[in-house]
């Protein structure tokens, strides 16, 4: 499998990918946080002021072509920040829940909310609302439909995972904390091998939790915590998305290849900032989620028109 899978050719800061089948174009799309790794400036301005990047794949996900950025998301004056999209298809529409930060902060003090947009084609987006699920900063939405037809959203609040619930994807009621172990972000929920799984980015790899009912979760280990041998894969795997087809699961994550010697926020240079998207295969062995990022495999995602 190609490594790295994708690098953003404009800013070289592709991160937080979501991978979804484009029913209209009949190809896979990757929509991602487009961090401006090439941008000089004070502190962490480079992770703000970002539009959502788009890449497409017409060969089942093995190669990706940069296509541009999503337009028409802005609803107020000025340059603002879009992060960490979650996109699902339901009842004839794509629903996107994206983190929105006011302005371009140079540190981590920005006001962050989750916004809801809808689209018929992943290109033309209509703003629906800013979710009122918390009065505090909330980021990194993940949405999954429960067996009873309700929808559950998991998101980061206070460095933990909280949840909200909806019956129509528009009105959301907060539920409260779900995962309150060590600090983390970027929850992602999927079903594979007879279990529900949640992965969270613990900044040391992806913490893994398992569930039978999407309500209660038990720790199941950690993946992407050990460096890989592929190009640009020698550091921990960060904020990930999972695509499941049948009994096959694939995890799309990003790395900071220049951070092989650690995080060191004072090393704020281009090589430290740049990021690469990678993909690896997931397996469930004796009820445990396994990911060998060095294992060779062919990625050939099929159409997902259901």
């Amino acid at each position: 499998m190609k490594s790295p899978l994708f690098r953003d050719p404009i800013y070289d800061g592709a991160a937080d990918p979501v991978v979804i089948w484009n029913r209209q174009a009949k190809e896979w799309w990757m929509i991602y946080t487009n961090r401006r790794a090439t941008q000089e400036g004070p502190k962490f301005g480079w992770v703000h002021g970002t539009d959502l990047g788009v890449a497409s794949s017409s060969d089942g996900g093995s190669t990706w072509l940069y296509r541009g950025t999503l337009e028409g998301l802005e609803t107020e004056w000025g340059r603002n920040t879009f992060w960490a999209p979650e996109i699902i298809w339901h009842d004839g529409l794509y629903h996107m829940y994206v983190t929105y930060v006011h302005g371009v902060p140079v540190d981590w003090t920005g006001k962050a909310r989750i916004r809801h947009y809808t689209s018929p084609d992943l290109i033309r987006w209509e703003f629906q609302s800013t979710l009122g699920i918390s009065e505090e900063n909330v980021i990194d939405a993940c949405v999954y439909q429960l067996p009873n037809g309700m929808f559950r959203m998991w998101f980061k609040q206070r460095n933990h995972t909280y949840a909200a619930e909806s019956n129509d994807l528009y009105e959301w009621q907060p539920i409260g904390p779900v995962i309150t172990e060590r600090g983390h972000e970027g929850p992602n929920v999927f079903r594979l091998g007879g279990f529900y799984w949640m992965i969270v980015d613990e900044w040391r790899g992806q913490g893994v939790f398992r569930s039978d009912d999407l309500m209660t979760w038990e720790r199941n280990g950690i993946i992407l915590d050990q460096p890989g041998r592929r190009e640009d894969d020698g550091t921990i795997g960060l904020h990930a998305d999972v695509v499941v087809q049948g009994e096959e699961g694939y995890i799309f994550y990003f790395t900071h290849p220049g951070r092989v010697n650690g995080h060191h926020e004072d090393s704020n240079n281009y090589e430290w900032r740049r990021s690469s998207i990678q993909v690896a295969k997931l397996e469930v062995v004796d009820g445990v989620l396994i990911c060998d990022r060095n294992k060779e495999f062919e990625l050939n995602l099929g159409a997902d028109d259901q």
Side-chain angles (χ1 to χ4, degrees):
M1 194 61 220
K2 181 173 177 279
S3 178
L5 183 67
F6 177 74
R7 288 172 67 177
D8 180 280
I10 308 299
Y11 290 122
D12 211 10
D16 314 334
V18 60
V19 176
I20 186 165
W21 174 246
N22 185 321
R23 286 159 174 76
Q24 290 69 37
K26 301 299 180 186
E27 58 191 11
W28 285 89
W29 274 31
M30 180 192 301
I31 301 176
Y32 57 91
T33 304
N34 195 14
R35 305 198 306 196
R36 301 174 300 137
T38 57
Q39 186 75 34
E40 295 297 328
K43 295 185 181 178
F44 301 104
W46 65 278
V47 304
H48 299 91
T50 48
D51 295 309
L52 296 177
V54 179
S56 64
S57 175
S58 56
D59 60 5
S62 63
T63 60
W64 293 85
L65 175 67
Y66 176 79
R67 301 290 297 277
T69 57
L70 291 189
E71 300 175 355
L73 303 184
E74 196 56 87
T75 60
E76 59 182 329
W77 173 84
R79 164 55 70 182
N80 298 284
T81 299
F82 292 89
W83 280 348
E86 164 70 321
I87 303 175
I88 68 167
W89 168 264
H90 179 71
D91 199 20
L93 279 179
Y94 298 97
H95 292 260
M96 176 166 66
Y97 301 90
V98 60
T99 302
Y100 182 78
V101 181
H102 184 66
V104 187
V106 297
D107 49 28
W108 301 108
T109 60
K111 180 181 178 181
R113 292 290 182 265
I114 293 172
R115 286 183 159 208
H116 177 206
Y117 295 80
T118 56
S119 171
D121 56 9
L122 290 175
I123 297 172
R124 295 169 292 147
W125 292 95
E126 181 179 350
F127 174 67
Q128 297 296 334
S129 70
T130 298
L131 302 191
I133 51 180
S134 173
E135 295 179 359
E136 300 181 64
N137 280 5
V138 288
I139 67 172
D140 296 354
C142 163
V143 176
Y144 195 92
Q145 189 168 21
L146 305 178
N148 66 6
M150 296 287 285
F151 295 90
R152 184 153 292 203
M153 175 184 292
W154 296 267
F155 53 91
K156 177 191 176 183
Q157 179 179 338
R158 300 195 202 109
N159 280 346
H160 290 145
T161 293
Y162 283 64
E165 196 166 80
S166 174
N167 63 5
D168 63 1
L169 292 171
Y170 292 87
E171 299 294 328
W172 293 88
Q173 300 301 319
I175 292 172
V178 176
I179 305 292
T180 56
E181 292 188 26
R182 59 182 301 135
H184 61 268
E185 63 187 7
N188 191 262
V189 172
F190 56 97
R191 184 169 178 83
L192 183 67
F195 299 98
Y196 296 107
W197 303 94
M198 181 191 295
I199 53 172
V200 297
D201 185 353
E202 296 182 342
W203 311 302
R204 57 168 189 161
Q206 298 289 309
V208 179
F209 295 83
R210 195 181 80 183
S211 176
D212 294 321
D213 59 7
L214 293 163
M215 304 292 176
T216 58
W217 299 88
E218 62 177 28
R219 166 73 75 162
N220 191 259
I222 190 168
I223 59 174
L224 299 178
D225 55 320
Q226 298 301 313
R229 294 191 297 267
R230 300 181 297 177
E231 182 180 347
D232 276 11
D233 204 30
T235 60
I236 57 174
L238 298 160
H239 194 131
D241 186 39
V242 173
V243 174
V244 175
Q245 294 206 312
E247 294 303 309
E248 304 290 326
Y250 304 94
I251 184 166
F252 294 81
Y253 58 96
F254 80 96
T255 64
H256 280 298
R259 300 187 186 183
V260 290
N261 295 319
H263 191 62
H264 310 306
E265 288 197 350
D266 55 348
S267 305
N268 197 353
N269 54 43
Y270 161 68
E271 189 58 32
W272 182 85
R273 292 190 297 259
R274 79 173 183 92
S275 54
S276 293
I277 304 293
Q278 302 279 11
V279 64
K281 192 171 184 179
L282 294 174
E283 298 175 274
V284 177
V285 180
D286 297 329
V288 177
L289 189 69
I290 303 294
C291 180
D292 179 356
R293 65 202 294 184
N294 299 316
K295 188 173 183 177
E296 286 291 326
F297 68 97
E298 291 298 321
L299 183 61
N300 187 19
L301 300 174
D304 186 8
D305 289 314
Q306 296 159 16

